[in-house]
Amino acid sequence: MVTDTVSSPQYDSSERRAMGKALRNQVPLTAHSAWHPAPDRRDPVDILEESNQGRVPDLVPIRYGRMLSNPFAFLRGSAALMAYDLAPTQVSGIRVQACGDCHLANFGLFATPERNLVFDLNDFDETLPAPWEWDIKRLAASFVVAGRAVGISDNSNKDAVLALAESYRSHLREYSEMRVLDVWYSRLDDKTLIATAPSVKAREFRERVTAKARASVTEYLFPKITDEIGGHRRIVDQPPLVYHMKEHTEIEQRLGKLLEDYHASLPAHLRKLFDHYHYEDFAFKVVGVGSVGTRCFIMLFLADKDDPLLLQVKEARQSVLEAYAGKSEYEHSGKRVVVGQRLMQSASDMFLGWLTGADGTQYYVRQLRDMKFSASLDALKADELSRYAAICGWVLARAHAKGGDAAMISGYLGKKDTFDEALSRFAKVYADQTEKDHARLAKAVKNGRIQAITGY
């Protein structure tokens, strides 16, 4: 059970820091190192199977195939399992707007509405008000699991977790001392990333990454995934990952109502923007690792023959955190995702919205790709992993400062590295468990309990 510590704006930041510090008497910082599987811990494959309820059955084997590739892919696809494991751990009681699926691959570069590049969190399917500890513990474990997957030593993986924790802790303190509006205005843009590079080599690498992100825009993607057929632009089929459904014509006949639903979810001034575009085509798309099997569509709109808008319409399910942190205040899961994303990001996609399908399935909507770019984990070396961890810690601190009480969390964490060390111990132990759970998945596939399709 998660209990809440009440934070009130009637207390100034120094008083709230003192309130946070006092919480150490109830939950010492060292307590965060503790994790071990409960004697009655459920079979992880059972939990994964439960999370498949409502997914497209034919795609579930692709989900398992992707999770099989290595323990990090398994971690990415098992947010429900880690939520189950974190629920009984001790927490300070301070809640934030949590990501819910906070791992290192869910950070990256994307464009703001002003066409600036920022580095930020970019996946919010599981977002919900919840303990801040759950986000940073999942993120820390992901650095150890991913580091091991590419051959980085545990000593170096520990350095990365320590860099993550120190960055999170120090930036939270900075945000706790800032004016509220300044926290909301703050962002980590590409210029800051390049300017803070620790070496010429690192700076050149960040310059290349930002250049690639700027190339990853709708105008660049449009001719690659569409073609002109019968005088109309159509999305190109790439089965089994992108394809037109058998019910395509039938669904198109209902699109007017669905688009009206989405249109109504947009702010009034952005409805005017969307009105410049007309619908052209849609196709089913398989996305991610944990999301495989959920319903996701690409929608193509045009304002002119060479003026496209590509939207992704993705199924929004109940957050994996709701079983442990309480139900969302929003009945529509798409709205939950959109509100959470706007709360946590420094700047969000203008086209964020939500709609309900004819069968009652709830969706959220965003641009398919707009200068989006994530780091290639396979190429990261030990020192780069630590630098990347520090940047992710900075971004998570800003997100939690926006959607929570930075002063209370900062007061609780303090200025010493006690929490950092505790987090590094937790991350190693949970990485060990993740590798065991990955092996159990592989065994379940081998003995025929479940089916997996690899290569996609």
Side-chain angles (χ1 to χ4, degrees):
M1 176 180 286
V2 177
T3 56
D4 284 328
T5 297
V6 177
S7 173
S8 172
Q10 69 180 323
Y11 300 105
D12 64 28
S13 59
S14 61
E15 290 173 317
R16 296 201 312 279
R17 271 193 293 274
M19 292 167 66
K21 183 178 180 180
L23 291 174
R24 294 182 216 163
N25 296 325
Q26 301 172 32
V27 182
L29 295 172
T30 53
H32 295 292
S33 66
W35 189 84
H36 53 81
D40 59 348
R41 183 178 187 251
R42 294 184 59 202
D43 181 345
V45 178
D46 284 346
I47 293 176
L48 294 178
E49 286 281 82
E50 282 183 6
S51 71
N52 288 329
Q53 292 178 12
R55 295 177 191 252
V56 179
D58 290 347
L59 296 178
V60 170
I62 295 178
R63 179 193 183 203
Y64 284 140
R66 291 185 175 184
M67 291 177 69
L68 273 177
S69 60
N70 58 57
F72 179 61
F74 178 90
L75 182 78
R76 289 184 61 180
S78 56
L81 174 60
M82 192 163 188
Y84 165 79
D85 283 333
L86 287 173
T89 60
Q90 292 194 69
V91 293
S92 60
I94 308 168
R95 288 199 180 206
V96 297
Q97 184 69 35
C99 168
D101 189 15
C102 193
H103 58 73
L104 76 166
N106 276 345
F107 290 74
L109 289 160
F110 64 90
T112 71
E114 301 82 17
R115 318 314 296 147
N116 297 315
L117 266 180
V118 295
F119 185 86
D120 215 330
L121 280 156
N122 58 22
D123 189 303
F124 299 90
D125 288 12
E126 311 298 347
T127 187
L128 193 76
W132 60 271
E133 293 95 336
W134 293 358
D135 268 356
I136 197 163
K137 286 183 176 180
R138 180 159 172 78
L139 181 55
S142 78
F143 273 96
V144 179
V145 176
R148 288 178 179 179
V150 296
I152 296 175
S153 71
D154 265 359
N155 284 339
S156 295
N157 294 330
K158 178 180 179 179
D159 289 342
V161 175
L162 293 176
L164 163 71
E166 193 281 330
S167 179
Y168 178 80
R169 185 168 45 80
S170 61
H171 282 101
L172 262 176
R173 180 161 288 270
E174 289 178 14
Y175 289 125
S176 76
E177 295 168 351
M178 292 167 59
R179 295 186 303 176
V180 172
L181 280 178
D182 289 339
V183 174
W184 279 67
Y185 290 147
S186 67
R187 61 185 57 175
L188 181 54
D189 60 23
D190 59 335
K191 296 181 180 63
T192 304
L193 274 176
I194 292 168
T196 56
S199 66
V200 173
K201 183 179 178 181
R203 183 172 69 248
E204 290 174 348
F205 172 75
R206 293 180 186 186
E207 287 171 343
R208 289 195 301 271
V209 167
T210 55
K212 287 181 181 179
R214 289 191 179 280
S216 180
V217 296
T218 296
E219 291 80 0
Y220 175 80
L221 188 65
F222 173 60
K224 286 183 164 240
I225 68 168
T226 68
D227 199 1
E228 191 165 319
I229 301 172
H232 295 277
R233 271 282 168 184
R234 292 291 181 260
I235 297 165
V236 176
D237 284 337
Q238 302 171 51
L241 303 184
V242 178
Y243 58 90
H244 288 81
M245 304 172 68
K246 293 178 182 178
E247 310 91 334
H248 188 271
T249 302
E250 178 187 339
I251 296 173
E252 278 194 323
Q253 293 172 351
R254 302 196 298 265
L255 274 181
K257 173 64 176 69
L258 302 185
L259 292 177
E260 285 179 12
D261 199 14
Y262 167 62
H263 189 271
S265 75
L266 295 170
H269 65 294
L270 294 180
R271 293 177 205 156
K272 295 290 185 183
L273 171 62
F274 185 60
D275 287 344
H276 286 287
Y277 295 90
H278 63 269
Y279 165 78
E280 278 289 301
D281 194 19
F282 85 93
F284 193 96
K285 186 177 191 300
V286 176
V287 293
V289 179
S291 295
V292 175
T294 59
R295 289 151 187 82
C296 182
F297 303 91
I298 306 172
M299 298 193 75
L300 170 63
F301 298 83
L302 293 175
D304 206 339
K305 63 178 182 178
D306 293 316
D307 189 357
L309 172 66
L310 285 163
L311 296 181
Q312 177 173 286
V313 182
K314 188 176 181 185
E315 183 179 353
R317 296 152 62 92
Q318 186 180 69
S319 167
V320 296
L321 302 185
E322 291 189 52
Y324 315 107
K327 288 190 64 64
S328 170
E329 64 179 290
Y330 302 106
E331 291 186 9
H332 198 291
S333 290
K335 185 174 183 179
R336 170 187 59 77
V337 173
V338 169
V339 172
Q341 182 163 345
R342 288 173 175 163
L343 260 175
M344 295 191 75
Q345 283 188 321
S346 55
S348 295
D349 184 356
M350 290 191 298
F351 289 96
L352 276 177
W354 59 91
L355 59 84
T356 304
D359 62 354
T361 302
Q362 298 174 346
Y363 298 89
Y364 71 94
V365 183
R366 64 170 176 81
Q367 287 188 77
L368 176 61
R369 183 180 297 176
D370 196 16
M371 295 192 193
K372 290 187 172 70
F373 187 87
S374 297
S376 174
L377 304 179
D378 292 341
L380 286 178
K381 297 180 174 59
D383 58 341
E384 294 168 339
L385 191 71
S386 288
R387 288 198 290 267
Y388 189 68
I391 295 169
C392 292
W394 183 350
V395 166
L396 185 61
R398 190 205 52 75
H400 284 177
K402 278 189 69 182
D405 191 325
M408 282 196 73
I409 301 173
S410 178
Y412 177 72
L413 291 175
K415 296 180 179 180
K416 296 180 180 179
D417 65 356
T418 309
F419 175 76
D420 310 10
E421 291 288 345
L423 186 66
S424 72
R425 289 190 289 274
F426 166 85
K428 182 181 184 301
V429 172
Y430 200 81
D432 294 342
Q433 184 64 52
T434 299
E435 291 173 346
K436 293 174 184 175
D437 292 341
H438 174 254
R440 292 191 71 165
L441 177 66
K443 183 178 179 181
V445 172
K446 185 176 180 179
N447 64 23
R449 177 180 170 190
I450 57 175
Q451 181 186 4
I453 298 175
T454 58
Y456 296 108

